[in-house]
Structures are given as structure tokens and as C-alpha cells.
Amino acid sequence: MLEVLSPGVYTSIQDQGRLTYRSYGVPISGAMDSYAFEWANALVGNNQHEAAIEVMYGGAKFKILEDVTVSITGAPMTPKVDCEFVSMWTPIQLNKGQQLSLKGTNSGVITYIALAGGVDSPEYLGSQSVYEKAGLGRRLKKKDRLSIKSNHVLQSLNIPHREIPTYTNEVTLRVVPSHHESLFDELSIKAFYSTSFTVTKGDRMGALLKGDQAIELRKPVDIISEAVTFGTIQVPPSGDPVVLLADSQTTGGYPTIGSIMTEDLWRMTQIPPNGKVRFKRWNLR
Amino acid sequence: MQKIFPLNDQSITVSFGDVIDLNINRNAQQLYRKILELNDPYIIDVVPTYTNVTVFFNHKLISYNEMEDKLKGLIEELTSQSDEVKTKIIHIPVYYDGPDLERVAQYNHITTDEVIKRHVDGQYQVYMIGFLPGFPYLGGLDEQLATPRLNQPRPKTPAGSVGIANHQTGIYSVESPGGWNIIGYTPISIFDLEKEQPFLFQAGDVLKFYEISKLQLDEGQQPEVEWLDENY
């Protein structure tokens, strides 16, 4: 069992998400960086559907109330147990009375803490992923207590060293073009795929981007609301693109320029404010 | 003619047109039901919208191209047969005392009583659910009630608020910031986690409003549901 001493900026329980309620307007939520999330579970022998603690922007601190094995993956938040630095991407044993703390980070944004046996928390619509806006759970607060869901764990895996990502503040991501692409000005499309964009602001709903020039339409159009997804890049009238992330709405009425390839999504979620992103046009066929 | 295109590498959209139209929406609804009937393990989720259907599939079980071929097959079947569908009509009680009732009346040069009468007289098609959990996008608003969004969105609009934004009317399912003109309130929960079926509406339903008093609002009400046979 763990007690939250400090929740940091935004810390919440997340699992693989609520994948079957989009037609009812419920965002999928779930772990933003599925790569680090899945490894966090694997390292302590959890099933992939177990929930973990997602720490966004750092600053979280926990007190260990019962001995537990955990793994910490994702952005390097220099974890410490009491005064000692501990390794990430490997299982670590925490003992009753110890304190686990995560700092902020200059590279990456999100870190996962998986507990062997999974984290116990209420399930809403088939998932433990927190989505506060609709009352589907809430972020962690000081004094919250987290228990382990089960004592049953599988064989834990080791991560090969080369599979541990370096969280750089400049990434290139593949984008599947949207059917709205032809609505955009040709020079804007060219600029979109040849210049870099700075992340100005981000949360679990989306990341706001700013480029050298605004991305413009050939002429103003009315878009009829249609399905969007985690990774869809919308362009509101300001011309500054917005990348929709795990907690985004299920439908949108802004023109979209494309959607980031699923495999590349986790890199997008780990770009900190002022980090840069470039896009590469990617045809599926 | 339908168009079929990727939303991303693990989802495909079929589009039946690019205007808001009852028949186009019915085509989308028909395909939506057909895909659900497949009940195939590689289909993760299906989302019907005004003019489209988007399928999210498990890429470990089916490739993009195979999924696309499947959908093309289903579209072929659509054109040759019509569905017999029961339409669900849901009657929603509203206490018409919203902060923007006067604004809607003034904008359209009619009285507030006329606003209420016209809103109650309408029959509204649920074209899709989106924006907030359970929030219905409704078609069929009287032209004389269309009113632009508020210049300054409210930081909080309570759940159950009934509003108008341009040519649309809708009900807030959860408390949310919003720029809709609020004309009244319903005591009905349209999203309730405590219920076995937490969502009151589904795309394809029809909605009608009726007026209630402040007392009835405070007492709480149940939605009334009736079924109509209809051939699409």
C-alpha cells in the first residue's frame, strides 16, 4: 500500500483506456505513452490491462505503507527512495516506511509507476482510467491511499537496453493525411511537412502547436462534425495546429490535416512545452 | 456516392455525403448497425456521425486493406435492401427558465412564449453523440429559434441545461464550460453512471420536449419513451 504525500502537477490512475464508448461521446483516455506504460507492467509481471500511476510533469511523492515491488518507466524524473537515487526501467523493491519521490524533468513529460499486482481503483465503464470531466474518477490527492489489486503476478520481463527510449525534445512523427487535406492551401501543406512546430501548451486533452506561419485553408469552410482520434491534428481558424491526445473529444468540427501514426503517438505525448515536432507525410499504401 | 478513407492506420471512415441530411444520416446509421451485427472480434469500436461511420479495428487481427474490403462489401449490401427499424421517441420535460431565453426571443423578434411553443413543437433527430459523454447533436430546430453562440462562453453550464447554438439544440450531459444559449433545464439525467445503461440517447433516436413547471422540475421526472415502426 502507498500513501500520496504530494500528487505533483497532475497524477492519475490510467490503464489501456475506455475503448468502446466513443459512439457515446466518451473519450478513450488511458495511458498517454503506451510504450512506457506497457513496459512498466511487463517489468513487474503484470498483465497489460492492469492500471498504473501516471505522473505528468513530475513532483509526486509517496510513502510506502506495505512492502511492494514497483517499476518506474517513461520520462527521467530522477526517482529517489528516501535519499538514494534508484534506477528506472527495472523492478525495485520498496519497503514499509520508505518514501518514493519523483522530480520534474527537462526531457519528456510523463512517467509511470506500476505496482506488481496492479493498482486497485474504481472502474467506470470498464476502465480504471481517470477522466475527471465526466466524473470518471479523479486525479490523485494528498493522503489518497493506493492498494494492490491482486497478489498474482506473471513472469516479469527484462527490457533490453537498446529498447529504453531517450526522450529528446525534438521528434519527427509520421502523419496519415486527412481527407480534408485538399481544403488546405498548398503552401501551408508544404510548410506543415517541412518546418518544425513548437509545443506551446499541453495536457491530456491535447497539445497546442505554433509554427513559423499559420496553416491556412484555401477558403473558409464549414466542417460537419465527424470522428477524430488520439493523434488527430486539427487546425482551428487561428492556423495553429492542435494535436488531440488521450482525453480529447471523440468528434470534432475543425478541419484536420492528418493523424499521427499509432506507433509514433507516445513520442508526441512526451514532448515538453517548448519542445519541437516535425511531421512526415505517410501514405498507408 | 460513398467515400472511404483512413482516419489513421487503425481506423477507417466511410462518408455518405457532406451536408447534414436525414437520408445521409440514415445511410450512416444503417451501415453502423450492419457493422455491429458482424460482432467480429477485430472491431474495437464503431462511431456514427452526421454523415460518416468510423470503424476502429484491432490491427493485430485484421489489416487496413482487409478491413477496407470488408466495409466495401457491407456498403454493397446496403444499397440493395432497406432496414425495418423501430424508432425510439424520447419525451424530455423542460422547465423553460434559462438565462438566455430572453436573448433567443429578442434575436428572433418573437416573444419568450413563442420560443417555448416552437421548441416544444419540434421533433428532433439524434444525428450523433459527441462533444460530451451522452451529448446528443440534434437536427430539426425551428429556423425562427436559431441564435448565435454567446460571445463569452460561460465557465460553467450545469448538467441538464437545454440550449441553442446556431441551428442546433442540445442538452448538457455533464457540467461544462459552454457558449450555448440556455433556454431551460431538464431534471432528466442523460448520462448517469449509476444506471445499467448510463446513456439515455443513441444516434437514430428521436427526441421531443414538453414544458413542465418549477415544481415538477424540483420533484424530478422520468423520461417517457415510445416506439414507432418505420421503414427506412
Side-chain angles (χ1 to χ4, degrees), chain A residues 61-76:
Chain A
K61 203 168 177 186
F62 305 89
K63 186 174 180 179
I64 313 304
L65 303 180
E66 271 167 41
D67 295 1
V68 61
T69 306
V70 307
S71 64
I72 307 166
T73 65

PDB file of all heavy atoms in Angstrom, chain A residues 61-76:
ATOM      1  N   LYS A  61       5.169  12.402  -4.744  1.00  0.00           N
ATOM      2  CA  LYS A  61       5.873  11.791  -3.619  1.00  0.00           C
ATOM      3  C   LYS A  61       4.929  10.830  -2.891  1.00  0.00           C
ATOM      4  O   LYS A  61       3.767  11.171  -2.653  1.00  0.00           O
ATOM      5  CB  LYS A  61       6.310  12.910  -2.668  1.00  0.00           C
ATOM      6  CG  LYS A  61       7.459  12.549  -1.782  1.00  0.00           C
ATOM      7  CD  LYS A  61       7.969  13.824  -1.118  1.00  0.00           C
ATOM      8  CE  LYS A  61       9.084  13.529  -0.156  1.00  0.00           C
ATOM      9  NZ  LYS A  61       9.464  14.735   0.576  1.00  0.00           N
ATOM     10  N   PHE A  62       5.447   9.637  -2.586  1.00  0.00           N
ATOM     11  CA  PHE A  62       4.616   8.610  -1.953  1.00  0.00           C
ATOM     12  C   PHE A  62       5.313   8.047  -0.724  1.00  0.00           C
ATOM     13  O   PHE A  62       6.538   7.961  -0.675  1.00  0.00           O
ATOM     14  CB  PHE A  62       4.367   7.444  -2.923  1.00  0.00           C
ATOM     15  CG  PHE A  62       3.774   7.869  -4.233  1.00  0.00           C
ATOM     16  CD1 PHE A  62       4.605   8.240  -5.299  1.00  0.00           C
ATOM     17  CD2 PHE A  62       2.400   7.910  -4.421  1.00  0.00           C
ATOM     18  CE1 PHE A  62       4.067   8.643  -6.517  1.00  0.00           C
ATOM     19  CE2 PHE A  62       1.850   8.302  -5.637  1.00  0.00           C
ATOM     20  CZ  PHE A  62       2.688   8.674  -6.683  1.00  0.00           C
ATOM     21  N   LYS A  63       4.483   7.609   0.233  1.00  0.00           N
ATOM     22  CA  LYS A  63       5.011   6.905   1.393  1.00  0.00           C
ATOM     23  C   LYS A  63       4.600   5.444   1.262  1.00  0.00           C
ATOM     24  O   LYS A  63       3.443   5.151   0.931  1.00  0.00           O
ATOM     25  CB  LYS A  63       4.426   7.508   2.676  1.00  0.00           C
ATOM     26  CG  LYS A  63       5.025   6.920   3.923  1.00  0.00           C
ATOM     27  CD  LYS A  63       4.526   7.658   5.154  1.00  0.00           C
ATOM     28  CE  LYS A  63       5.164   7.035   6.379  1.00  0.00           C
ATOM     29  NZ  LYS A  63       4.722   7.722   7.593  1.00  0.00           N
ATOM     30  N   ILE A  64       5.541   4.543   1.492  1.00  0.00           N
ATOM     31  CA  ILE A  64       5.243   3.119   1.344  1.00  0.00           C
ATOM     32  C   ILE A  64       4.690   2.587   2.670  1.00  0.00           C
ATOM     33  O   ILE A  64       5.365   2.670   3.703  1.00  0.00           O
ATOM     34  CB  ILE A  64       6.520   2.322   0.953  1.00  0.00           C
ATOM     35  CG1 ILE A  64       7.277   3.018  -0.189  1.00  0.00           C
ATOM     36  CG2 ILE A  64       6.180   0.877   0.603  1.00  0.00           C
ATOM     37  CD1 ILE A  64       6.473   3.278  -1.436  1.00  0.00           C
ATOM     38  N   LEU A  65       3.461   2.070   2.629  1.00  0.00           N
ATOM     39  CA  LEU A  65       2.833   1.563   3.859  1.00  0.00           C
ATOM     40  C   LEU A  65       2.982   0.058   3.999  1.00  0.00           C
ATOM     41  O   LEU A  65       2.817  -0.483   5.079  1.00  0.00           O
ATOM     42  CB  LEU A  65       1.351   1.948   3.894  1.00  0.00           C
ATOM     43  CG  LEU A  65       1.043   3.455   3.797  1.00  0.00           C
ATOM     44  CD1 LEU A  65      -0.453   3.692   3.853  1.00  0.00           C
ATOM     45  CD2 LEU A  65       1.741   4.250   4.890  1.00  0.00           C
ATOM     46  N   GLU A  66       3.221  -0.619   2.878  1.00  0.00           N
ATOM     47  CA  GLU A  66       3.455  -2.064   2.892  1.00  0.00           C
ATOM     48  C   GLU A  66       4.494  -2.378   1.832  1.00  0.00           C
ATOM     49  O   GLU A  66       4.487  -1.741   0.777  1.00  0.00           O
ATOM     50  CB  GLU A  66       2.171  -2.817   2.521  1.00  0.00           C
ATOM     51  CG  GLU A  66       1.271  -3.163   3.690  1.00  0.00           C
ATOM     52  CD  GLU A  66      -0.103  -3.613   3.213  1.00  0.00           C
ATOM     53  OE1 GLU A  66      -0.169  -4.360   2.224  1.00  0.00           O
ATOM     54  OE2 GLU A  66      -1.097  -3.192   3.838  1.00  0.00           O
ATOM     55  N   ASP A  67       5.328  -3.358   2.060  1.00  0.00           N
ATOM     56  CA  ASP A  67       6.353  -3.724   1.076  1.00  0.00           C
ATOM     57  C   ASP A  67       5.718  -3.975  -0.288  1.00  0.00           C
ATOM     58  O   ASP A  67       4.675  -4.618  -0.378  1.00  0.00           O
ATOM     59  CB  ASP A  67       7.086  -5.001   1.511  1.00  0.00           C
ATOM     60  CG  ASP A  67       7.879  -4.789   2.800  1.00  0.00           C
ATOM     61  OD1 ASP A  67       7.821  -3.656   3.341  1.00  0.00           O
ATOM     62  OD2 ASP A  67       8.537  -5.739   3.254  1.00  0.00           O
ATOM     63  N   VAL A  68       6.365  -3.509  -1.323  1.00  0.00           N
ATOM     64  CA  VAL A  68       5.810  -3.650  -2.671  1.00  0.00           C
ATOM     65  C   VAL A  68       6.939  -3.584  -3.706  1.00  0.00           C
ATOM     66  O   VAL A  68       7.947  -2.919  -3.487  1.00  0.00           O
ATOM     67  CB  VAL A  68       4.745  -2.550  -2.930  1.00  0.00           C
ATOM     68  CG1 VAL A  68       5.332  -1.148  -2.826  1.00  0.00           C
ATOM     69  CG2 VAL A  68       4.068  -2.728  -4.278  1.00  0.00           C
ATOM     70  N   THR A  69       6.746  -4.324  -4.819  1.00  0.00           N
ATOM     71  CA  THR A  69       7.675  -4.217  -5.940  1.00  0.00           C
ATOM     72  C   THR A  69       7.067  -3.268  -6.960  1.00  0.00           C
ATOM     73  O   THR A  69       5.888  -3.394  -7.299  1.00  0.00           O
ATOM     74  CB  THR A  69       7.899  -5.598  -6.596  1.00  0.00           C
ATOM     75  OG1 THR A  69       8.304  -6.507  -5.579  1.00  0.00           O
ATOM     76  CG2 THR A  69       8.958  -5.533  -7.674  1.00  0.00           C
ATOM     77  N   VAL A  70       7.854  -2.317  -7.434  1.00  0.00           N
ATOM     78  CA  VAL A  70       7.347  -1.372  -8.425  1.00  0.00           C
ATOM     79  C   VAL A  70       8.340  -1.271  -9.580  1.00  0.00           C
ATOM     80  O   VAL A  70       9.491  -1.699  -9.473  1.00  0.00           O
ATOM     81  CB  VAL A  70       7.133   0.049  -7.837  1.00  0.00           C
ATOM     82  CG1 VAL A  70       6.262   0.017  -6.597  1.00  0.00           C
ATOM     83  CG2 VAL A  70       8.456   0.748  -7.547  1.00  0.00           C
ATOM     84  N   SER A  71       7.866  -0.687 -10.682  1.00  0.00           N
ATOM     85  CA  SER A  71       8.785  -0.313 -11.753  1.00  0.00           C
ATOM     86  C   SER A  71       8.451   1.114 -12.152  1.00  0.00           C
ATOM     87  O   SER A  71       7.290   1.529 -12.071  1.00  0.00           O
ATOM     88  CB  SER A  71       8.643  -1.255 -12.942  1.00  0.00           C
ATOM     89  OG  SER A  71       7.351  -1.122 -13.487  1.00  0.00           O
ATOM     90  N   ILE A  72       9.457   1.851 -12.549  1.00  0.00           N
ATOM     91  CA  ILE A  72       9.262   3.249 -12.946  1.00  0.00           C
ATOM     92  C   ILE A  72       9.803   3.393 -14.367  1.00  0.00           C
ATOM     93  O   ILE A  72      10.966   3.067 -14.633  1.00  0.00           O
ATOM     94  CB  ILE A  72       9.998   4.202 -11.980  1.00  0.00           C
ATOM     95  CG1 ILE A  72       9.581   3.911 -10.530  1.00  0.00           C
ATOM     96  CG2 ILE A  72       9.714   5.657 -12.329  1.00  0.00           C
ATOM     97  CD1 ILE A  72      10.477   4.561  -9.496  1.00  0.00           C
ATOM     98  N   THR A  73       8.948   3.830 -15.288  1.00  0.00           N
ATOM     99  CA  THR A  73       9.367   3.971 -16.687  1.00  0.00           C
ATOM    100  C   THR A  73       8.908   5.325 -17.222  1.00  0.00           C
ATOM    101  O   THR A  73       8.119   6.013 -16.578  1.00  0.00           O
ATOM    102  CB  THR A  73       8.727   2.878 -17.570  1.00  0.00           C
ATOM    103  OG1 THR A  73       7.306   3.083 -17.578  1.00  0.00           O
ATOM    104  CG2 THR A  73       9.035   1.474 -17.070  1.00  0.00           C
ATOM    105  N   GLY A  74       9.376   5.670 -18.407  1.00  0.00           N
ATOM    106  CA  GLY A  74       8.955   6.923 -19.042  1.00  0.00           C
ATOM    107  C   GLY A  74      10.006   8.000 -18.889  1.00  0.00           C
ATOM    108  O   GLY A  74      11.209   7.712 -18.841  1.00  0.00           O
ATOM    109  N   ALA A  75       9.545   9.251 -18.789  1.00  0.00           N
ATOM    110  CA  ALA A  75      10.465  10.387 -18.712  1.00  0.00           C
ATOM    111  C   ALA A  75      11.358  10.276 -17.472  1.00  0.00           C
ATOM    112  O   ALA A  75      10.899   9.848 -16.413  1.00  0.00           O
ATOM    113  CB  ALA A  75       9.670  11.681 -18.668  1.00  0.00           C
ATOM    114  N   PRO A  76      12.638  10.645 -17.605  1.00  0.00           N
ATOM    115  CA  PRO A  76      13.563  10.502 -16.466  1.00  0.00           C
ATOM    116  C   PRO A  76      13.299  11.543 -15.380  1.00  0.00           C
ATOM    117  O   PRO A  76      13.761  12.666 -15.461  1.00  0.00           O
ATOM    118  CB  PRO A  76      14.939  10.713 -17.110  1.00  0.00           C
ATOM    119  CG  PRO A  76      14.680  11.508 -18.340  1.00  0.00           C
ATOM    120  CD  PRO A  76      13.301  11.166 -18.805  1.00  0.00           C
TER     121      PRO A  76
END
